[in-house]
Amino acid sequence: MNIAALRSPQAGTDDAPVQRLGKVVEHLPEGSLYRVECDDGAWQCRRAASCLLRPELGDTVLIAGPDRYHVYLIAVIDQADDTTAHIETKGHLTLATPAGGVRIESSEAIRLQSAKAVEVSSERFALTATEADCKVDRLNYVGNAVKAMAASIHVVGRLCETVMDRLVHISRTAFRMTEQTEQVRCGQLDYEATDLARIHATQTVVTAQAVVKVDAKQIHMG
């Protein structure tokens, strides 16, 4: 049943088209049924599928139909509180334009919230912001190339693992401090310093299976 007239209809008016303005006085729990108070009484009608703006209590709405037994809430004409609007549909909602773009503008905040997932698919994705916060429990990234340019980078974590076929590091000054043990395992190790190379420890051990060679113009020991 689409509508139940809450006042007995006048004789000879059952088949007459209905079009009235009224105020929403109740939202019934049975689906999208609303109780609308008009000048000729109260009407109980279902919200039309084309009325995407959810009616609220006190809103002025338009109800219409071919007869008094098939009347729908067609549109919200005037909101009681125009500071908030809720666009609502029962099923899936798709915004599409065959030959144009979709643009969402807001003078305040825009919030996307989903109980399951949020997916973005595009040929190009651009993000511009003065400040960005990203809080993710687990992040998986797969791509061909990453290029980052920043004046300062600060990374804090408990574990960092890097697996590369080739690693190149170029800097003017590099400083690394390890509190406990630092180990390097490689096929060949080559260190070259332009001015000074210094190795200092409480105990220093240099061993080789074949040859240990020390070559310089002057060698000081002791």
Side-chain angles (χ1 to χ4, degrees), residues 121-209:
S121 178
S122 175
E123 183 178 350
R124 182 177 181 272
F125 177 78
L127 174 64
T128 302
T130 304
E131 183 177 352
D133 296 328
C134 181
K135 298 178 181 179
V136 180
D137 291 339
R138 181 177 295 178
L139 176 64
N140 296 324
Y141 173 81
V142 178
N144 293 327
V146 176
K147 183 178 181 181
M149 300 178 64
S152 176
I153 299 177
H154 187 200
V155 180
V156 178
R158 298 183 60 183
L159 176 64
C160 179
E161 295 183 359
T162 303
V163 179
M164 298 288 181
D165 289 337
R166 185 169 181 263
L167 178 62
V168 178
H169 175 85
I170 300 175
S171 63
R172 296 183 61 183
T173 302
F175 174 78
R176 184 174 63 198
M177 182 177 65
T178 304
E179 292 184 357
Q180 296 183 4
T181 303
E182 178 172 327
Q183 297 181 352
V184 178
R185 298 292 186 268
C186 61
Q188 294 182 0
L189 181 62
D190 184 0
Y191 280 99
E192 181 179 350
T194 304
D195 296 329
L196 175 65
R198 178 176 179 268
I199 298 177
H200 175 73
T202 303
Q203 297 180 3
T204 303
V205 178
V206 179
T207 63
Q209 292 183 355

Side-chain angles (χ1 to χ4, degrees), residues 9-16 68:
Q10 297 179 359
T13 61
D14 289 1
D15 297 334
R68 66 182 305 108

